Amino acid sequence: MKRVAVIGAGAAGLLAGAFAARGGCRTEIIERNEKAGKKLFLTGKGRCNITNSADRDEFMKAVLHNGRFLYSAFDNFFNDDIINIINAYGVKTKLERGGRYFPESDKSSDVIKALLAFTQKSGADILLNSHVSSVEKRGEEFIVHIEHQPDRTYDALIIATGGLSYSSTGSTGDGYRFAKSLGHTVLEAKPSLIPFETEEGWVSELMGLSLKNVTLRAYKKPKADGKRQRPVYEELGEMLFTHFGVSGPLVLSASGYLADDPKGARLEIDLKPGLSPEQLDARLLRDFEKYKHKKLGNALVELLPSRLIDRIILESGIDPEKTVDNLTREERQALVSTLKGLKLTVKGVRPMEEAIITRGGIPIKEINPSTMESKLVPGLYFAGEVIDVDACTGGYNLQVAWSTGAAAGRAVSEA
C-alpha cells in the first residue's frame, strides 16, 4: 500500500489527507500543534467563512493572483462539494451577504469537527504534536524527520503547511524551507489582505470609527507623468479607522490588489456613494437651509458621524468658524469633493503576523495545475497557501485550500 505523508492539518492538509486515504493510500497527516485546524478556528472572526457561492467565472475575478492555475482544481472540487461534506457530517450552513457561507451555529469549531470526522472516516491518521524539522528524498522515498521522534518513510509527500500569516497557529514558513531543500524555488512571501498604515496622522483621532455603506477606491502609486489612473479596486462596504491607518473588509480586499507595491498608493473614500455630486450638493443646500446661521459643523450632523465632521471640514479647506449662509459656491463644491473622495496615502502595511493570507511561496510554474504535483520532484505535492495564489476576502482563499488539497490527495492516490 502506498505510504503518503501530509505535512499540515489545516484546511488544505485535511482535505488532501482524506482524499489520499479514500483512494487507498496509507495516509498520515503530520501536525505540529496539539490540535488540527488551528488557523481554521480563527477564520471569519471565529465563525469560519467556509466558501463563497459565486460561480466559477465570478470566483476567478476574486482570485487576485495566478487564478488561471486553479481552473482544473475548481473543476474537480468546488464550493458545493465542500458544503456537501460539511452538511453530511452534521453541520448546517447558511448563506450571508456577498455569497459567503458560514456554519449556522457561527462556530468554526463545528466546521473543524465535521472535517475531522470526514478525514478520520476516510481512513487518514492525524499525528498531533509532531513538529517536522526537515525532509529529504532518498531514491524513490521521502524521509520525514520529526523532532524527538523516529524518522518516518513515505512514498509520496504533500506539503500543506500554510504561508507566514497567523504564525501563532504554526504557519512559520516551514513549507517553503522544505520545498527549497528539495530543489524548488521559493518566491518572497508578502502579506496580502492586511490593514494599511497611512501617511496622514489624523486617522488616529478617528480610531475605532467604523464606516458602513461607503465606497473605497484604491489607486497604485502615481506615475511620474502625473496622469490620472484608474482605480485597481473599487467596492462598497465597511471599513474602520485605527491608530495606525485603516482596516476592515474593504481595506483588506484593497490590499490584495496592492500587495506587490503598497507604499505610496492612494485611497479615496466616497462617504456618500448613493448620491451623485449634484444630488449631494442639493442635499447640502437643504440641510443648510434648515441650519441657516449655524456654523458649518452644526449643519452636517444629519449627514455624517459626529466624530468625522471636523476632519471633513479641515480637508475641505473651509474655515470651521464659518456659518453656512456665508459659504461660497466654491467652498460648497470643495465640501462635495471631499465627501465623495476623502483622500489617504498608504505609508505601508502592518506586520506579516496581521495578514490574513500570504502572497508568494512555491511558483505555479513549478507545479502541475491538474495534480498539484511538483514538476521538479516526482512524488512531491503542494496544497493551500504554500502555493503562490491568493484571493479576496469572502471565503475565496479557503476554497483555494479545499480545492488544491482535494486535487493533491486524489492525484497522489491515482499516481
Side-chain angles (χ1 to χ4, degrees), residues 107-337:
K107 293 180 180 176
S108 56
S109 55
D110 288 344
V111 175
I112 296 167
K113 285 175 191 170
L115 288 172
L116 289 174
F118 170 66
T119 302
Q120 287 159 352
K121 189 170 182 182
S122 298
D125 292 321
I126 301 175
L127 310 180
L128 298 174
N129 294 305
S130 299
H131 185 189
V132 176
S133 57
S134 62
V135 299
E136 60 178 304
K137 192 172 188 189
R138 293 182 196 159
E140 298 299 309
E141 294 180 326
F142 291 89
I143 313 300
V144 176
H145 304 284
I146 303 175
E147 288 183 3
H148 314 302
Q149 294 184 34
D151 293 345
R152 305 178 85 90
T153 305
Y154 301 93
D155 302 303
L157 175 65
I158 302 174
I159 294 177
T161 50
L164 283 174
S165 56
Y166 290 101
S167 59
S168 61
T169 66
S171 296
T172 55
D174 284 349
Y176 304 147
R177 183 165 52 84
F178 301 153
K180 201 167 186 177
S181 72
L182 293 168
H184 271 273
T185 308
V186 177
L187 301 173
E188 179 190 358
K190 298 178 180 179
S192 186
L193 307 186
I194 189 165
F196 287 131
E197 295 180 354
T198 62
E199 296 281 2
E200 293 76 14
W202 56 257
V203 293
S204 62
E205 301 164 12
L206 302 175
M207 182 176 67
L209 177 63
S210 178
L211 301 178
K212 297 184 178 181
N213 298 315
V214 298
T215 292
L216 180 67
R217 294 184 290 270
Y219 300 83
K220 288 187 176 178
K221 182 167 50 182
K223 294 180 179 177
D225 59 16
K227 286 184 179 176
R228 175 76 171 173
Q229 296 170 287
R230 288 185 178 181
V232 293
Y233 172 82
E234 183 170 3
E235 196 63 61
L236 176 74
E238 299 178 23
M239 60 177 290
L240 174 74
F241 288 105
T242 69
H243 67 282
F244 55 77
V246 284
S247 187
L250 287 177
V251 173
L252 296 179
S253 288
S255 73
Y257 290 85
L258 298 168
D260 290 325
D261 189 19
K263 186 175 174 61
R266 293 180 300 114
L267 307 176
E268 286 182 1
I269 308 166
D270 185 343
L271 295 160
K272 297 295 168 185
L275 300 175
S276 68
E278 294 74 24
Q279 290 169 328
L280 180 55
D281 188 43
R283 163 68 192 272
L284 286 173
L285 287 170
R286 288 197 300 274
D287 285 356
F288 290 174
E289 179 62 28
K290 183 176 180 180
Y291 292 98
K292 59 184 175 182
H293 310 313
K294 298 277 189 182
K295 287 182 182 178
L296 177 57
N298 295 327
L300 297 176
V301 292
E302 294 181 25
L303 192 68
L304 293 171
S306 58
R307 289 181 63 195
L308 193 54
I309 290 173
D310 287 348
R311 176 49 51 183
I312 292 299
I313 293 171
L314 280 170
E315 295 301 305
S316 301
I318 301 170
D319 179 356
E321 296 300 314
K322 265 201 169 185
T323 56
V324 291
D325 42 353
N326 282 319
L327 280 188
T328 66
R329 185 175 182 278
E330 288 72 23
E331 286 172 325
R332 201 175 71 247
Q333 292 306 309
L335 183 59
V336 169
S337 295

Side-chain angles (χ1 to χ4, degrees), residues 370-389:
S370 299
T371 63
M372 300 298 136
E373 185 175 16
S374 164
K375 293 180 180 179
L376 310 180
V377 185
L380 174 64
Y381 298 76
F382 299 98
E385 195 181 341
V386 73
I387 302 169
D388 183 26
V389 178

Side-chain angles (χ1 to χ4, degrees), residues 330-375:
E330 288 72 23
E331 286 172 325
R332 201 175 71 247
Q333 292 306 309
L335 183 59
V336 169
S337 295
T338 303
L339 291 166
K340 295 294 290 180
L342 180 61
K343 292 176 174 54
L344 293 168
T345 305
V346 177
K347 181 167 68 175
V349 297
R350 296 297 287 165
M352 175 66 85
E353 306 87 73
E354 296 183 33
I356 291 176
I357 201 80
T358 310
R359 173 171 295 185
I362 315 306
I364 59 168
K365 67 181 181 182
E366 296 180 3
I367 304 171
N368 183 323
S370 299
T371 63
M372 300 298 136
E373 185 175 16
S374 164
K375 293 180 180 179

